[in-house]
């Protein structure tokens, strides 16, 4: 009120009017300045502007970052290292770590439920953002190889070797799209899959993770997986896929995981490159290096492979990540390798970092001691041993990826929607279809199959008939398969058969008792023997024999001695050396590692609801002496050897 009166009085005279205008002018200027400074406080910086292209945003952000902040973006740490506030301060405030992963069986939250995953990842994201000067979100990664496999409750599809038997890229696109829908809903935006290694040696513990031995088939299915995981909008990725493990990983010496391999250039080009090239061409956002050495050089330290071949020849422009612990493993304290799988080329822990980064690794999956990594890399940049441009190139790629994932705009997920995102009603139908299409009928003497639902009782027996863990395989909930006490939804072979023909028609027996098997066999019209391997992952699955366990051999022998028709159902990650048993059996159905819907799928084929049409994606050697064998050729001498079942085998009704 007082100012209005004053204004009127001043405005009354000419001089007063001029004075007033002057005063008004300076008030306006002052107001403008005020507004300006308020604006600059809330102004959206170019890197925060979602309307700009990812590349320009990355350039802008990169220019604002210190060396320490940049180095942190190249570190990936295991979630098991984030348990206290002290950890969070160290990892995020001091080291600026840009990425966290769940290794096999590692949880971000208190429980293994979709909601707890989402809440846990949200909390880690908040801890990171609260401590980040430039508000750079973290990228959370996990292995989700056959469905959202680490998450309890999610539907598990067949492992890649089974999907390869379907020869159906459309199906693979669908299954991987289910995985990425779930992963995104939980905040897992980096999925370490697909496995682009082609199978070469069935003694290797990771054989089942591959799409088989044919580079062309593997290429098609790898491309389909990348598309399914990432979606079809390159600037708005659902998740980032990872083609792994680059390169030559699947043919380690003696089939032993992580052991070195010697490969002629031609073999590398013709057999190993195509499936990775397919991933690159399909736009795979990331690639992971393999654990071992090719021709004497660890891939993680090989500029020729990780940069010249992958980036130069193959045109990969995304993020290259090292595998679990491989960078620090380049240095062996004391200089002596603990065993042949280590090629300790580095002279110190810092030298290990230098070799990997200069070879072309962008992100290092450390996974534990991030302080060692980040301080080593900072020193290396300061001394010039790693160039500023090498550092910037790697960090820029990481930032571009984070922008393409929309993480700056949406760092958090809605935990209330995690459950619905992780499991949809239609997933099991798709899983059943995948099992139906993958099952590979290799023998069917006298057209024993399909079995008649109205025939006499069927004896269903064997460890794989009732074991959820066996049908899921490794990398399911836990690293080595389902841990004790976890009960994921699943239909076993026994349950599936009971459902198909009615429980009254199904007999069971204690498979470890041959007397019991013989007694029940007398009452049965046919015997379904479900045998195979327990769950395993990585080197835990290496074998020198690929033999069926002796107690299971005795079971099959007892069944075959009964004189009743025998159907062998093999639940395994690879062909087993069971020629003699197969000879006497009437039928053999290869089920691979079928996952949640194993029982429905097996029953669908056994009783003819579905005519089998899976085709063997690998060669099935008749004897371990012929291993490794690819397309009927022994790799050791390049000679043809008659396989028990050839690549592509598979009967229908
Ligand atoms: C495996 C990778 C996996 C990583 C993270 C490594 O040991 O080789 O395939 O992505 O662990 O769990
Ligand atoms: C992790 C796996 C990893 C493996 C490699 C395990 O402890 O859980 O994810 O692949 O170590 O050594």
């Amino acid at each position: 009120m007082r100012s209005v009166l004053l204004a009127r009085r001043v405005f009354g005279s000419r001089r007063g009017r001029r004075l007033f205008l002057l005063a008004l002018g300076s008030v306006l200027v002052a107001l403008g300045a005020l507004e300006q400074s308020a604006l600059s406080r809330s102004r959206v910086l170019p890197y925060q502007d979602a309307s700009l292209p990812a590349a320009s945003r990355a350039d802008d952000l990169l220019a604002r970052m210190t060396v320490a902040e940049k180095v942190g973006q190249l570190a990936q740490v295991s979630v098991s290292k984030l348990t206290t506030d002290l950890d969070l301060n160290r990892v995020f405030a001091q080291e600026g770590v840009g990425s966290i992963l769940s290794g096999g069986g590692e949880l971000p939250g208190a429980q293994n439920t979709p909601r707890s995953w989402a809440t846990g990842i949200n909390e880690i994201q908040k801890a990171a953002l609260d401590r980040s000067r430039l508000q750079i979100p973290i990228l959370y990664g996990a292995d989700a190889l056959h469905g959202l496999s680490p998450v309890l409750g999610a539907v598990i599809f067949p492992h890649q070797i089974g999907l390869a038997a379907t020869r159906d890229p459309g199906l693979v696109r669908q299954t991987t799209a289910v995985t990425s829908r779930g992963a995104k809903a939980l905040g897992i935006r980096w999925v370490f899959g697909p496995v682009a290694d082609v199978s070469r040696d069935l003694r290797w513990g990771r054989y089942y993770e591959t799409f088989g031995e044919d580079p062309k088939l593997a290429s098609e299915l790898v491309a389909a997986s990348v598309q399914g995981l990432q979606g079809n909008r390159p600037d708005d990725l659902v998740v980032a896929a990872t083609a792994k493990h680059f390169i030559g990983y699947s043919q380690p010496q003696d089939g032993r995981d992580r052991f070195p391999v010697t490969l002629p250039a031609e073999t590398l080009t013709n057999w190993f490159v195509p499936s990775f090239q397919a991933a690159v061409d399909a736009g795979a956002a990331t690639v992971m290096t393999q654990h071992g050495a090719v021709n004497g050089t660890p891939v993680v330290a090989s500029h020729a492979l990780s940069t010249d071949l992958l980036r130069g020849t193959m045109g990969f422009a995304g993020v290259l990540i090292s595998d679990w612990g491989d960078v620090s493993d380049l240095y062996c304290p004391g200089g002596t390798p603990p065993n042949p799988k280590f090629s300790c080329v580095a002279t110190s822990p810092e030298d290990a970092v230098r070799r990997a980064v200069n070879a072309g690794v962008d992100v290092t999956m450390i996974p534990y001691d991030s302080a060692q990594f980040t301080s080593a890399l900072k020193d290396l940049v300061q001394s010039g041993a790693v160039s500023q441009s090498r550092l910037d190139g790697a960090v820029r790629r990481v930032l571009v990826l984070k922008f393409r994932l929309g993480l700056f705009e949406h760092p958090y997920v809605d935990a209330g929607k995690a459950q619905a995102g992780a499991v949809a009603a239609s997933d099991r139908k798709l899983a059943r279809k995948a099992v139906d299409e993958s099952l590979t009928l290799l023998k069917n003497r006298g057209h024993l199959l399909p079995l008649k639902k109205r025939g006499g009782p069927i004896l269903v027996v064997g460890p794989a008939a009732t074991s959820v863990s066996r049908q899921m395989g490794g990398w399911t909930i836990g690293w080595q398969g389902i841990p004790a006490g976890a009960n994921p939804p699943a239909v076993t072979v026994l349950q599936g058969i009971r459902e198909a023909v009615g429980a009254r028609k199904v007999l069971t027996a204690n498979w470890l008792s041959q007397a019991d098997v013989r007694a029940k066999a007398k009452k049965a019209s046919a015997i379904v023997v479900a045998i195979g391997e327990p769950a395993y992952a990585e080197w835990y699955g290496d074998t020198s024999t690929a033999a069926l366990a002796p107690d299971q051999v005795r079971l099959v022998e007892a069944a075959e001695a009964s004189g009743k028709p025998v159907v062998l159902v093999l639940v395994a990650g690879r062909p087993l050396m069971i020629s003699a048993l197969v000879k006497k059996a009437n039928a053999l159905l290869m089920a691979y590692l079928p996952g949640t819907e194993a029982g429905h799928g097996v029953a669908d084929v056994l009783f003819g609801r579905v005519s089998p049409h899976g085709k063997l994606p690998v060669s099935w050697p008749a004897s371990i002496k012929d291993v490794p064998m690819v397309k009927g050729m022994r790799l050791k001498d390049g000679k043809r050897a008659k396989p028990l079942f050839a690549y592509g085998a598979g009967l229908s009704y």
Side-chain angles (χ1 to χ4, degrees), residues 101 103-104 143 192 206 244-245 258 288 291 323-324 365 475 538:
L101 91 150
D143 301 289
F192 305 131
R206 309 194 71 169
K244 68 186 190 182
H245 312 76
R258 305 178 181 210
M288 188 188 291
H291 287 300
D323 202 349
W324 185 277
M365 189 189 286
W475 296 108
E538 303 195 44

Side-chain angles (χ1 to χ4, degrees), residues 115-131:
R115 182 185 262 277
S116 183
W117 273 82
T119 318
I121 295 174
N122 276 346
E123 277 168 12
I124 292 167
Q125 186 67 278
K126 179 158 191 316
L129 285 172
D130 284 351
R131 291 167 177 79

Side-chain angles (χ1 to χ4, degrees), residues 551-566:
D551 48 10
Q552 297 187 56
V553 172
R554 287 193 289 273
L555 161 68
V556 177
E557 283 169 352
E560 290 177 344
S562 73
K564 298 290 170 70
V566 169

